[in-house]
Amino acid sequence: MATNSSPDSGFSVGVLGSARLTGDDPRCATAREVGAQVAGQGWTLLTGGYGGLMAEVSRGAADAGGRVVGLPMRGWTDLVPNRWTTEHRWSDGYPERLGHLLGCDAIVALDGGIGTLAETTVVWSALQTEPAAPPVVAVGPAWRALLAAIAENLIVGPEDLAHVTVVDHPSEVVAAIRAGRAARRAVQPRG
């Protein structure tokens, strides 16, 4: 059950992840555990609101008594928000949806595809120039490999890579979020 006595019970965590994975994929259990960890802190969970890992993380949070907010898109008329979202913040387009994500207190990136990568990198980019941008916590070995490839092939320095904390297990997510929030610092715009 969520603990609403937390000093940051108004805290919101956006969780990004693939819509394509089904319940028998082991990454779904990871998503459910992340959802339960977030809800266990009394934090609000935000997801895209649809299926796959978004549904699994929503389920984990709802089963733990948490508040689950979906960010569905009005134009996606053939998709239905998952049953674990208790509130919807409908968006007319990506700029509005990204605004909701950038308004979170932290972002957690699970395994995903182009959408997950795009949304994660928008927040990551904001961390370079916006003091209030949410910290990014990425879960799993795929993110370590991706960040290593980015470091090797793009013009990205250690100070840029330091904006993303990679953890191996869902049990490490809460501590990484707290550390990211505590490490807030003045930023200088970078190109």
Side-chain angles (χ1 to χ4, degrees):
M1 194 57 80
T3 57
N4 291 324
S5 61
S6 171
D8 49 11
S9 60
F11 201 81
S12 62
V13 178
V15 180
L16 312 172
S18 175
R20 297 181 183 181
L21 299 177
T22 61
D24 60 347
D25 187 293
R27 292 170 287 192
C28 291
T30 296
R32 286 190 300 276
E33 188 172 343
V34 167
Q37 293 285 331
V38 168
Q41 298 301 306
W43 299 340
T44 297
L45 176 85
L46 281 83
T47 74
Y50 293 111
L53 294 185
M54 291 178 284
E56 297 296 334
V57 74
S58 298
R59 177 181 167 191
D63 287 351
R67 178 175 173 223
V68 182
V69 177
L71 303 174
M73 302 284 277
R74 283 190 183 89
W76 298 355
T77 56
D78 54 336
L79 294 176
V80 177
N82 73 65
R83 65 185 174 129
W84 293 283
T85 55
T86 54
E87 177 184 332
H88 298 120
R89 295 181 187 164
W90 292 91
S91 296
D92 289 320
Y94 270 110
E96 188 177 356
R97 189 178 196 179
L98 291 171
H100 289 300
L101 290 174
L102 287 166
C104 288
D105 295 296
I107 296 294
V108 176
L110 302 173
D111 287 344
I114 299 301
T116 302
L117 179 61
E119 291 170 346
T120 302
T121 55
V122 165
V123 178
W124 183 14
S125 179
L127 281 164
Q128 291 181 310
T129 58
E130 303 295 325
V136 174
V137 176
V139 181
W143 286 101
R144 285 191 197 287
L146 181 62
L147 291 174
I150 287 172
E152 182 178 331
N153 295 292
L154 298 178
I155 303 166
V156 175
E159 67 281 2
D160 303 311
L161 295 169
H163 289 304
V164 179
T165 301
V166 181
V167 299
D168 295 314
H169 193 270
S171 64
E172 301 171 276
V173 167
V174 168
I177 289 171
R178 290 192 185 282
R181 296 290 295 170
R184 281 277 163 61
R185 77 282 170 245
V187 295
Q188 298 297 321
R190 297 175 45 86

